[in-house]
Amino acid sequence: MPLLEIRGLQTWFETRAGTVKAVNGVDLSIERGETVALVGESGSGKSVTAYSVLRLIEAAGGRIAGGEVLFDGTDMLRLDLASLRAVRGNRIAMIFQEPLSALNPVQSIGTQIVEALRLHRDIGLRAARERAVELLELVRMPSPRERLEEYPHRLSGGMRQRAMIAIALACEPDLLIADEPTTALDVTTQAQILDLLRELQGRLGMAMLLITHDLGVVAETADRVAVLYAGRVVEQGPVETLFDAPAHPYTRGLLDAVRIEELPPGSRLPEIPGMVPSLLALPPGCAFAPRCPRATPACDAGPPAMRAGGEGRLHACFNPWLSTVEGRVPA
Amino acid sequence: MTAPLLEMRRVVKHFPANGGMVRAVDDVSLQVAPGETLGLVGESGCGKSTLARLVMRLFPPSDGSILFDGTDLTTADRAAVAEYRSGLQMVFQDPFASLNPRETIGRILEQPLVVHRRGGRAERRDRVNALLERVGLRPEIAARYPHELSGGQRQRVGIARALILHPRMIVCDEAVSALDVSVRAQVLNLLLELRAELGLAALFISHDLAVVRHMSDRVAVMYLGEVVEQADRDSLWDRPLHPYTRALIAATPSTSPAARRRERLMLQGDLPSPIDPPRGCRFHPRCPLAQPRCREEAPALRRVGATEVACHLA
Amino acid sequence: MSGIALTAAPPAASDSPGLLRRLAGNRSAALGGVLLALVLGFAVVGPLLWPGDPWEMVAAPMLWPGEDMANPLGTDVMGRDLATGLVSGARVSLLIGLVATLIAATIGTLFGALGGFYGGRTDAVLMRVTELFQTVPTFVLAVVLVAVFRPSVTTAVLAIGIVSWPATARLVRAQFLVLRDREFVLAAETLGMSTPRLILTQILPNALPPVIAMSTLTIAHAIQTEAALSFLGLGDPNVMSWGTIIGGGREQLTEAWYVCGLPGIAIIVTVLAFNLLGEGLNDALNPHLQRR
Ligand SMILES: Nc1ncnc2c1ncn2[C@@H]1O[C@H](COP(=O)(O)OP(=O)(O)OP(=O)(O)O)[C@@H](O)[C@H]1O
Ligand SMILES: Nc1ncnc2c1ncn2[C@@H]1O[C@H](COP(=O)(O)OP(=O)(O)OP(=O)(O)O)[C@@H](O)[C@H]1O
Ligand SMILES: [Mg+2]
Ligand SMILES: [Mg+2]
């Protein structure tokens, strides 16, 4: 049984302009100790999926319109509040995308880590503070003891991000949801943090849902990748084969856009033409069809179903790039 | 050489902290010419955002002066500062925190135009919509509040806000870090176009060295509050002189997933505390080439070929 | 979960349609709202049911409620209709409560905003003044103010307003101190926004929610203070308020307790209504508690 299994998740927001269907039928599963990367265009529903797992979505003004989120066999969507709180921060922890807004501005980071610890562990104040210093050391915060008293706005962007990672790791969760955990970190610190996460996975069997735009980090860290487009998983599979031979035209466009270092500096960068469809009125067919170079009239008729492509690969496309014939030549 | 648009002269910024002073920016001199993009790189916590805030005059420097278009902003009167503000805009590192939670996106973007009395209501709305489209956002976003957007959408709102006044220079603090590669390409292309069309100058801060290389004409490398090397882009990448710069470039991961699994050279040790920086050269505890002299004597920035570098051994 | 989870999900804007729904879902706010609606209804519809002058002696003195249907709530010691008096009292109490609170909120916000925004010496001076007002017991100060300037509705309103602002000032100052350094305020500053505009459009709207919650509590307190002043005979002699009725009936407390009891209940209900509402508002407007 997978540790986390998301089935047909739908998360919607009611706005003045209509219903925003941010997540529209996401299926995803994560085994113990496994790292699954969630990638996709900005606004495609990655963070909303993460919020839905923790049921933070009602607080954000949305509602889960359908589907199941099974964590260790229990449906998160049916848990009562007390049981839910026992899971949040304890068995499932989250690193939020924007540290400055996710941290409490009027509490020192030391207090926030201590609070996270004491919420779920029977631990004294003094011991909790010592553990907080250890955690900050672990995430490579420079002079951790002195930083304990510091307020978030007095830290640099990367330090805030590390403080938040420390909070998320405080209770050694079974599942870590890391939403863009390294955007504010330099490459050295980033590598150290990724090493730390890997080490924790080895030692504790922690599973990870890694949301990131950095496909290099995905290649380095993840076992499997799921590609999200307009609230739906359009392709998923093991990292190597998926990146070497993407089947879905969106995945392929993404991989083409990545090659910034191969182009002369200052030149125009390749982008996927067009814009994501409005989530207020999704087209009846494939949501990527209007931007797709391989689209045929059939694509506009109905949504493509998820199909197996061999070797654990799945894709939702009527005209996929077939790896054997038209496969992408590895760079 | 033309007169610089932005000039920082021996700028210092200290923050009081428990146990002393954080020397966030220590004696930094930089210049940005009109239309030029200066990349700024360095380890997390080395003082890049502080430098950006100094340029924006969000707090005064502890010492030194900052000139924009020849006017010293530390001594300028209110009118001059107001004038300078419309010509110099910033994209903040944390997009959500930089947007007023109680204003709609449309209002947030329109505000700069209202403050500077540019255009009528209809004209302003057109401008907002046009810019939204150029950063890849749908016009329906204008009616939403910041919390109703995704992280990358908020970041693009921040970029649009900084561009809406047609500034002469823009300070980008990790401005594209929350964007997927395709949208990032779209935004970077927009900045490149504005540079070509309107001569937009930029101070471009990022941890993504591939992006900095793509966008910058010149690059400055910071270490623990100081600029340790400064050169034009190609010299810096082809012949990095400071050991820190070399370590930084060697540690750069490839952005392409296929090439990622290679081993790379990592800098050992941690960034020392800015409260009590090492004596002599600040990099010496982590420097593979450190000599006895480096422990004693702080190297001054000097010119070697096309590069300015602060290292005894360069 | 820790502070981070509580604050992390995007804070739902409190001016969004969600606020009313959240208030309705909050038990104390809902109860407060219902009670307040009753009091307001009484004040609005009352004059139609029991028109006339509350000072006029219309019947035999000390009629018990229900004894004579012409005076459903009975009469006081001078034969004045109690129902008419209570209606008049409701209007006076609500008016004084609201206006006095408006004054307190205005002064408090001004002091707090300027102190919190500018900091330094401005802040020090303003906060000393605030402390000065806070150290004097508020009711004593109100009594002195009213006594010095001849009792009237205006002096009562002013006196209550003047004694109630320091708490608001402190709250607003604390809000401003936090908001002043927030990045969206800095961002607005880099746009070249003038200081008044910065305060009014960026900081104040974000500082107001707790002030609004607190103001409902201030209203409740103002109503109590007004009743106490009138009870002591320091109310406006031309206006029949709840305090006046209680003051007039206190001699006959044993024979006719209802003369004091009915306005007393009215005060309790009204004060309770505002307190519950304030509590509910506080919860509903506080992003840290929303996730419960
Ligand atoms: N509270 C809300 N009300 C309305 N729409 C919302 C709300 N929150 C999110 N959305 C919309 O839902 C979609 C998915 O948002 P989400 O935050 O999951 O994107 P994301 O994939 O994490 O993107 P990014 O990479 O930019 O962070 C976006 O288009 C966003 O505008
Ligand atoms: N308002 C402040 N008060 C006190 N210390 C501060 C303040 N702002 C920044 N600092 C300190 O100054 C140093 C430099 O911070 P800065 O934000 O400039 O780093 P940075 O180079 O932008 O790092 P990052 O890449 O992580 O964003 C840090 O040690 C930080 O703690
Ligand atoms: Mg996101
Ligand atoms: Mg920074």
Side-chain angles (χ1 to χ4, degrees):
Chain A
M1 182 179 62
L3 180 67
L4 179 76
E5 187 164 11
I6 303 174
R7 288 197 206 131
L9 180 71
Q10 292 182 307
T11 307
W12 297 350
F13 296 93
E14 303 297 337
T15 64
R16 287 155 291 270
T19 306
V20 174
K21 297 185 174 170
V23 171
N24 211 9
V26 163
D27 297 294
L28 196 69
S29 72
I30 306 178
E31 302 289 337
R32 270 165 222 282
E34 190 188 30
T35 299
V36 174
L38 199 53
V39 303
E41 180 141 326
S42 163
S44 58
K46 303 180 295 294
S47 301
V48 170
T49 303
Y51 283 155
S52 304
V53 170
L54 278 169
R55 287 224 342 240
L56 289 169
I57 210 70
E58 292 120 55
R63 80 190 152 90
I64 296 177
E68 288 180 323
V69 177
L70 299 171
F71 175 69
D72 212 2
T74 47
D75 191 347
M76 292 287 286
L77 305 185
R78 285 186 224 295
L79 278 190
D80 61 88
L81 225 51
S83 328
L84 191 62
R85 266 186 229 142
V87 173
R88 285 179 182 168
N90 185 22
R91 299 199 58 202
I92 309 180
M94 176 147 175
I95 300 171
F96 289 89
Q97 188 171 5
E98 281 153 284
L100 189 53
S101 332
L103 293 167
N104 188 339
V106 295
Q107 270 183 355
S108 71
I109 56 163
T111 310
Q112 293 182 56
I113 301 175
V114 166
E115 192 192 344
L117 275 167
R118 284 170 49 101
L119 218 54
H120 299 289
R121 297 281 180 273
D122 190 15
I123 177 173
L125 197 59
R126 184 176 299 243
R129 286 187 75 82
E130 280 315 304
R131 178 82 185 118
V133 175
E134 264 173 55
L135 281 163
L136 286 180
E137 219 155 61
L138 217 56
V139 297
R140 300 286 176 161
M141 178 80 83
S143 26
R145 203 168 288 276
E146 289 75 36
R147 298 285 178 191
L148 223 47
E149 304 300 328
E150 207 67 278
Y151 289 87
H153 73 273
R154 292 170 51 100
L155 295 173
S156 85
M159 292 174 188
R160 283 174 211 142
Q161 198 156 44
R162 279 172 276 175
M164 196 161 56
I165 296 174
I167 294 174
L169 296 179
C171 291
E172 306 191 329
D174 296 330
L175 172 65
L176 178 69
I177 302 179
D179 194 353
E180 302 283 356
T182 59
T183 43
L185 302 179
D186 57 279
V187 287
T188 313
T189 315
Q190 183 190 60
Q192 287 166 339
I193 295 287
L194 294 177
D195 281 344
L196 169 70
L197 295 180
R198 233 179 326 243
E199 192 241 39
L200 287 176
Q201 286 192 288
R203 192 156 57 81
L204 308 169
M206 180 176 83
M208 184 152 75
L209 178 62
L210 176 70
I211 300 175
T212 179
H213 290 306
D214 190 332
L215 300 183
V217 169
V218 174
E220 206 169 53
T221 319
D223 303 306
R224 283 192 301 123
V225 195
V227 183
L228 213 59
Y229 188 81
R232 237 176 233 270
V233 177
V234 294
E235 178 161 15
Q236 62 170 298
V239 173
E240 297 86 11
T241 62
L242 193 139
F243 278 167
D244 285 346
H248 197 283
Y250 173 68
T251 317
R252 207 180 166 103
L254 209 57
L255 288 166
D256 282 336
V258 88
R259 291 177 297 171
I260 186 167
E261 63 220 270
E262 293 164 22
L263 301 164
S267 62
R268 206 179 158 75
L269 296 163
E271 48 185 274
I272 303 173
M275 222 188 255
V276 267
S278 166
L279 297 176
L280 293 167
L282 284 167
C286 169
F288 188 61
R291 301 169 76 181
C292 183
R294 294 168 75 86
T296 59
C299 299
D300 295 323
M306 198 57 120
R307 281 185 293 182
E311 300 172 41
R313 297 276 303 272
L314 293 167
H315 54 75
C317 179
F318 291 119
N319 308 302
W321 294 83
L322 293 173
S323 48
T324 44
V325 195
E326 304 164 282
R328 185 189 174 78
V329 191
Chain B
M1 193 183 144
T2 49
L5 182 62
L6 175 78
E7 188 174 5
M8 307 186 80
R9 292 190 191 143
R10 315 207 63 151
V11 173
V12 177
K13 182 68 190 178
H14 291 174
F15 294 109
N18 44 341
M21 282 286 182
V22 175
R23 297 152 176 270
V25 170
D26 214 355
D27 199 4
V28 166
S29 300
L30 287 176
Q31 295 188 347
V32 181
E36 186 188 41
T37 299
L38 176 68
L40 186 62
V41 299
E43 213 157 342
S44 168
C46 71
K48 304 180 294 298
S49 299
T50 306
L51 193 83
R53 281 151 188 257
L54 284 167
V55 169
M56 297 310 298
R57 208 169 178 255
L58 289 175
F59 36 55
S62 310
D63 198 9
S65 52
I66 303 168
L67 283 76
F68 185 72
D69 208 9
T71 319
D72 186 345
L73 286 143
T74 38
T75 53
D77 60 12
R78 293 174 83 87
V81 173
E83 174 60 32
Y84 150 89
R85 287 231 147 111
S86 69
L88 178 58
Q89 291 288 305
M90 171 159 174
V91 184
F92 287 79
Q93 187 168 10
D94 193 309
F96 198 1
S98 75
L99 302 176
N100 188 341
R102 279 169 211 284
E103 285 180 345
T104 60
I105 303 306
R107 179 75 197 144
I108 288 172
L109 291 180
E110 194 187 6
Q111 204 139 41
L113 299 172
V114 175
V115 168
H116 291 276
R117 302 208 173 77
R118 305 240 179 115
R121 182 181 290 262
E123 206 177 318
R124 290 198 300 260
R125 177 142 0 103
D126 289 347
R127 196 129 142 213
V128 167
N129 284 340
L131 200 53
L132 276 176
E133 196 187 325
R134 288 196 79 175
V135 295
L137 294 173
R138 309 192 70 90
E140 69 207 32
I141 294 277
R144 298 218 199 134
Y145 287 90
H147 75 270
E148 297 177 320
L149 265 50
S150 83
Q153 290 169 339
R154 285 192 279 260
Q155 191 161 53
R156 284 176 275 167
V157 170
I159 294 169
R161 172 175 61 185
L163 291 176
I164 201 151
L165 286 173
H166 290 319
R168 300 175 62 193
M169 178 169 172
I170 174 170
V171 176
C172 296
D173 193 357
E174 297 288 352
V176 293
S177 65
L179 304 180
D180 65 276
V181 283
S182 168
V183 171
R184 184 181 74 186
Q186 192 178 355
V187 168
L188 294 181
N189 286 338
L190 170 64
L191 291 179
L192 290 170
E193 279 164 29
L194 291 177
R195 185 159 88 190
E197 288 163 21
L198 306 171
L200 177 70
L203 178 63
F204 199 91
I205 301 173
S206 177
H207 286 305
D208 190 332
L209 292 188
V211 169
V212 171
R213 182 179 190 185
H214 195 84
M215 297 302 291
S216 308
D217 301 309
R218 265 183 327 118
V219 179
V221 182
M222 270 182 95
Y223 186 79
L224 211 59
E226 295 177 332
V227 170
V228 293
E229 183 162 2
Q230 198 185 152
D232 63 279
R233 174 192 62 225
D234 294 331
S235 320
L236 193 93
W237 254 272
D238 298 343
R239 289 176 302 281
L241 292 181
H242 198 284
Y244 176 65
T245 314
R246 276 187 227 148
L248 203 64
I249 291 176
T252 311
S254 168
T255 48
S256 125
R260 188 61 185 256
R261 295 204 181 233
R262 262 184 287 138
E263 274 298 302
R264 46 191 151 99
L265 244 87
M266 278 299 165
L267 194 60
Q268 297 303 310
D270 283 335
L271 186 70
S273 159
I275 296 178
D276 182 22
R279 262 164 54 82
C281 171
R282 292 186 177 180
F283 186 57
H284 85 256
R286 299 167 80 186
C287 182
L289 311 173
Q291 308 282 310
R293 183 183 175 199
C294 303
R295 273 186 277 280
E296 298 303 323
E297 197 183 324
L301 211 57
R302 66 195 163 90
R303 187 163 280 283
V304 178
T307 304
E308 277 188 58
V309 62
C311 176
H312 294 307
L313 307 167
Chain C
M1 197 166 164
S2 69
I4 121 161
L6 296 178
T7 51
S14 50
D15 43 6
S16 63
L19 178 63
L20 272 182
R21 213 181 322 132
R22 277 205 304 281
L23 272 180
N26 181 310
R27 214 174 292 157
S28 53
L31 184 57
V34 169
L35 289 181
L36 185 61
L38 282 178
V39 176
L40 276 176
F42 187 62
V44 172
V45 181
L48 306 176
L49 298 179
W50 302 287
D53 184 353
W55 297 98
E56 201 179 325
M57 290 167 256
V58 290
M62 292 212 265
L63 279 178
W64 275 75
E67 218 177 309
D68 176 359
M69 277 337 269
N71 311 96
L73 295 179
T75 54
D76 69 359
V77 70
M78 318 243 322
R80 296 179 295 217
D81 182 39
L82 265 183
T84 319
L86 287 177
V87 169
S88 156
R91 316 191 100 194
V92 173
S93 292
L94 290 177
L95 180 78
I96 291 185
L98 286 173
V99 179
T101 301
L102 208 63
I103 293 175
T106 310
I107 305 179
T109 305
L110 200 67
F111 269 55
L114 294 178
F117 187 86
Y118 286 105
R121 201 175 301 164
T122 319
D123 185 35
V125 171
L126 291 177
M127 280 307 113
R128 286 303 88 73
V129 178
T130 312
E131 271 161 26
L132 202 70
F133 272 87
Q134 259 184 332
T135 46
V136 183
T138 52
F139 187 65
V140 176
L141 185 58
V143 167
V144 170
L145 283 172
V146 174
V148 170
F149 299 103
R150 171 151 27 104
S152 73
V153 170
T154 318
T155 46
V157 163
L158 284 176
I160 296 169
I162 285 171
V163 301
S164 309
W165 65 267
T168 311
R170 294 196 155 266
L171 183 66
V172 172
R173 174 176 174 269
Q175 289 277 320
F176 265 63
L177 281 178
V178 174
L179 288 167
R180 178 76 186 88
D181 285 336
R182 292 288 285 278
E183 278 204 341
F184 71 85
V185 178
L186 299 183
E189 209 170 332
T190 66
L191 294 175
M193 218 178 251
S194 65
T195 304
R197 190 177 196 127
L198 193 71
I199 292 182
L200 287 176
T201 68
Q202 304 295 310
I203 309 186
L204 204 55
N206 286 289
L208 275 186
V211 176
I212 292 169
M214 190 162 113
S215 291
T216 50
L217 302 181
T218 312
I219 296 178
H221 191 240
I223 290 174
Q224 281 174 310
T225 311
E226 186 280 330
L229 286 175
S230 303
F231 176 82
L232 293 178
L234 291 171
D236 192 322
N238 306 313
V239 171
M240 177 75 77
S241 87
W242 289 334
T244 323
I245 305 176
I246 297 178
R250 66 171 188 263
E251 311 270 292
Q252 286 74 37
L253 198 57
T254 41
E255 307 101 272
W257 63 265
Y258 63 89
V259 178
C260 292
L262 291 178
I265 291 169
I267 292 172
I268 291 173
V269 168
T270 314
V271 168
L272 191 66
F274 280 111
N275 272 329
L276 288 173
L277 201 61
E279 216 169 276
L281 268 175
N282 202 18
D283 289 354
L285 295 172
N286 187 341
H288 294 251
L289 292 171
Q290 271 166 35
R291 266 149 277 288
R292 301 282 148 85

